[in-house]
Amino acid sequence: MPLSRRLFVTAAATLAASGSTSFALAAPGGPAAEPDHRIPVSPDDTPEELVAKASQVRPTDRQIAWQRLERTAFLHFGVNTFTGLEWGMGDEDPDVFQPVGLDTDQWARALRDGGFKLAILTVKHHDGFVLYPSRYTSHTVASSSWRDGQGDVLRSFADSMRRYGIKVGVYISPADENQYLDGVYANGSARYERTIPTPVADDDRSGGPQFTLPATDYGAHMLNQLYEVLTEYGPVDEVWFDGAQGRIPPDKVEKYDWDSWYALVRALAPDASIAVSGPDVRWVGNEGGSARENEWSVVPVTEKDNGRMDFALSYDAPDMGGRDALVAAQPVADFLQWWPAESDVSIRDGWFYHADQQPKTVEQLTDIYFRSVGRNSVLLLNIPPDTQGLLPAADVARLREFRERVDRELPEDLARGARVTTSPGTVTVDLGAAREVDRIRLAEDIRYGQQVESVVIEAQRGGTWQRVTEAGTLGASRILLLPAPVRARRWRLRVTRSRRAARIAQFALYRSQL
């Protein structure tokens, strides 16, 4: 008998956070193994065992909180803003950095009005220029004449974001061209136990925790900067690492001390998600803001040098966690892990500000929203400040228009307060009267994992149930766009395939107001 025919309802509860109803559509069977965010796999596992293990993977509390953000912002800002480069050389004169009109409150207001809940600042990009006065390099804002060497972009940014209710994220590039040219990047040093923070002359810090962690010279440099940021500018809610190497000869690659960096973040910012070269959040695989049609949060991963989590499959794999993908990854996968996707894209063509570029249209941004948030991913939209230190007026207006457009696409949930009934494998909503619907939002209660593999949405018309649309996996958020409005009083979600207990947290119906 197909699994979908054996589903039966075991419970119903109200989720206070969303105000929606959670229906447990559970397959019979014995108790699952203890849930975990990461479960080992073996080359000897059968396809059925792989699926069973995937069904047991659960997110951590920090991952659940992160997936609820939906819209997050990137702010690429630094010497590249003034040189016109996307990847700096590391030898830039710090005095080129002159954001004389810096107003991070303006950034925060624009992001708040755009519906963003977290913002990530490029505290250090690949050029190595640091947006706060670090004790461990002179290539910082303190070496610029801007504000007489007393400027601190990170301090201003963090204070402004919190003032406007936006969570704080930091991007600290592992690649560092300045440290390669005049420092310790890829210097061939041994990895051994280092004391963090490393004492410096005239150190103004007193007390504070100390750590002993294995690192190269450059790994220790990164640890010291992480320590500064996380102890003096916290609380931090996301730490964003990419995996880029500096533009150096192949024989001088720096092997990053991922395990030590992760450990320090966990110790100093235990609630912070570590992305995207990190164990909490993964890169979706492109910079166009587009998740896969069926985006799984449970994916096969491999552990590489010094504990870095990486894809077991290629970055451009069309399926990261379906049944075929679990089998395809088996020869190299070490674990099945809750590793949800972040979809990054810039509002302009470049990541840093360029005067000759314009922001994307509202239509483009809305399409990106449905291809990211609507496909079980979190959107990370970059909005680069200009040479004055302001978000450009055109971009600010576009952010507000974008939020207003999404609000019109998904206005009042017609199913809120409606009569809801459940029967084996289905959730039925009676709206009380026939209503037009052209947007449908679905979600699982991911506290119990990601289980749904396919669903069908039906409307009762003329006394019979008619298929309106269908979808594959749901996860934390799946938004379906109907090509034309459908008018019906009764609507039904039917789970047609599920790995284990499928708990539906949201079955929302909308009529867009465009």
Side-chain angles (χ1 to χ4, degrees):
M1 181 182 295
L3 178 61
S4 61
R5 297 286 299 277
R6 294 187 280 115
L7 292 170
F8 62 96
V9 177
T10 61
T14 299
L15 292 182
S18 64
S20 57
T21 303
S22 175
F23 308 97
L25 309 176
E34 183 68 23
D36 197 355
H37 78 288
R38 185 169 71 168
I39 294 178
V41 292
S42 163
D44 297 327
D45 287 337
T46 66
E48 292 76 17
E49 288 170 333
L50 290 172
V51 172
K53 286 184 175 183
S55 75
Q56 296 162 13
V57 177
R58 302 289 186 268
T60 64
D61 289 344
R62 74 174 66 86
Q63 289 174 315
I64 292 173
W66 178 84
Q67 291 203 249
R68 287 174 178 161
L69 295 172
E70 293 195 354
R71 274 175 276 187
T72 61
F74 229 163
L75 295 155
H76 276 64
F77 190 51
V79 289
N80 290 349
T81 306
F82 300 86
T83 63
L85 299 177
E86 286 287 304
W87 186 315
M89 304 302 294
D91 58 358
E92 292 83 4
D93 182 350
D95 207 43
V96 73
F97 187 78
Q98 295 289 336
V100 295
L102 181 72
D103 185 353
T104 53
D105 275 0
Q106 185 249 9
W107 302 1
R109 286 192 299 270
L111 297 179
R112 178 202 61 188
D113 294 346
F116 293 85
K117 298 176 182 177
L118 177 145
I120 302 170
L121 176 67
T122 54
V123 176
K124 183 186 76 166
H125 203 255
H126 307 327
D127 49 75
F129 184 78
V130 181
L131 295 183
Y132 71 94
S134 174
R135 300 167 182 82
Y136 297 96
T137 177
S138 61
H139 200 53
T140 79
V141 289
S143 296
S144 168
S145 62
W146 172 64
R147 295 188 176 175
D148 297 323
Q150 301 302 307
D152 188 337
V153 179
L154 178 55
R155 172 67 62 205
S156 181
F157 163 79
D159 290 348
S160 291
M161 294 304 138
R162 296 189 187 107
R163 188 176 298 123
Y164 285 87
I166 297 172
K167 294 179 181 294
V168 171
V170 293
Y171 168 111
I172 302 177
S173 169
D176 192 319
E177 301 290 354
N178 181 261
Q179 281 294 309
Y180 173 62
L181 294 173
D182 188 25
V184 294
Y185 188 91
N187 68 354
S189 60
R191 178 173 145 103
Y192 63 87
E193 298 293 316
R194 314 286 181 127
T195 298
I196 304 298
T198 303
V200 296
D202 301 321
D203 201 323
D204 58 347
R205 294 171 291 191
S206 60
Q210 286 192 328
F211 302 88
T212 302
L213 295 164
T216 63
D217 289 350
Y218 179 71
H221 176 82
M222 278 284 290
L223 286 168
N224 280 314
Q225 291 190 323
L226 280 167
Y227 187 95
E228 290 178 316
V229 169
L230 298 178
T231 58
E232 298 176 43
Y233 297 89
V236 170
D237 295 282
E238 185 166 339
V239 178
W240 210 99
F241 297 121
D242 61 28
Q245 279 283 334
R247 290 179 296 192
I248 58 177
D251 62 336
K252 290 190 177 182
V253 170
E254 172 74 34
K255 286 191 175 181
Y256 298 139
D257 294 307
W258 297 109
D259 49 1
S260 296
W261 300 351
Y262 298 161
L264 190 68
V265 174
R266 287 285 188 256
L268 296 177
D271 295 329
S273 295
I274 307 176
V276 292
S277 287
D280 297 319
V281 176
R282 66 179 166 89
W283 180 45
V284 75
N286 63 78
E287 294 184 344
S290 181
R292 296 164 182 81
E293 181 70 26
N294 290 298
E295 193 67 70
W296 284 93
S297 295
V298 179
V299 298
V301 301
T302 183
E303 194 170 283
K304 295 190 174 178
D305 287 345
N306 299 336
R308 180 191 174 182
M309 301 311 305
D310 206 351
F311 293 102
L313 298 170
S314 64
Y315 282 87
D316 58 356
D319 176 13
M320 291 300 296
R323 291 176 181 246
D324 291 343
L326 297 181
V327 173
Q330 192 174 20
V332 296
D334 297 313
F335 303 95
L336 297 180
Q337 179 166 314
W338 193 276
W339 209 25
E342 182 178 72
S343 298
D344 61 335
V345 64
S346 184
I347 197 170
R348 293 173 174 237
D349 290 341
W351 291 94
F352 287 88
Y353 173 80
H354 303 281
D356 60 346
Q357 296 179 357
Q358 295 299 315
K360 290 178 170 60
T361 65
V362 172
E363 289 72 22
Q364 288 173 312
L365 292 176
T366 304
D367 180 58
I368 288 169
Y369 174 85
F370 286 125
R371 288 189 286 110
S372 56
V373 176
R375 292 180 177 177
N376 188 37
S377 177
V378 170
L379 171 61
L380 177 59
L381 180 66
N382 178 64
I383 310 99
D386 64 17
T387 54
Q388 291 295 306
L390 300 170
L391 297 186
D395 300 46
V396 171
R398 195 56 40 82
L399 293 179
R400 184 179 61 254
E401 294 163 355
F402 173 40
R403 188 214 71 216
E404 292 170 348
R405 173 64 178 267
V406 171
D407 289 346
R408 292 197 304 274
E409 292 274 0
L410 301 170
E412 179 187 2
D413 176 10
L414 301 176
R416 185 177 294 274
R419 182 167 173 258
V420 178
T421 58
T422 60
S423 60
T426 66
V427 179
T428 303
V429 174
D430 187 336
L431 300 179
R435 304 289 297 272
E436 283 192 344
V437 170
D438 62 355
R439 304 284 186 264
I440 301 170
R441 184 161 191 168
L442 310 171
E444 293 179 68
D445 185 344
I446 61 172
R447 294 175 301 175
Y448 302 94
Q450 187 177 4
Q451 308 295 349
V452 172
E453 294 178 290
S454 62
V455 297
V456 170
I457 306 299
E458 299 165 319
Q460 192 175 60
R461 307 178 73 190
T464 62
W465 287 104
Q466 300 177 12
R467 178 176 299 205
V468 173
T469 190
E470 59 187 26
T473 192
L474 305 182
S477 175
R478 187 70 186 263
I479 304 173
L480 307 176
L481 310 182
L482 304 185
V486 174
R487 187 176 182 84
R489 171 176 169 170
R490 301 185 72 217
W491 292 78
R492 185 166 72 181
L493 176 155
R494 186 160 51 87
V495 177
T496 53
R497 195 177 198 187
S498 181
R499 290 178 172 177
R500 197 168 175 82
R503 295 173 182 262
I504 305 302
Q506 187 175 30
F507 181 20
L509 306 171
Y510 305 91
R511 176 61 168 98
S512 62
Q513 300 174 354
L514 304 180

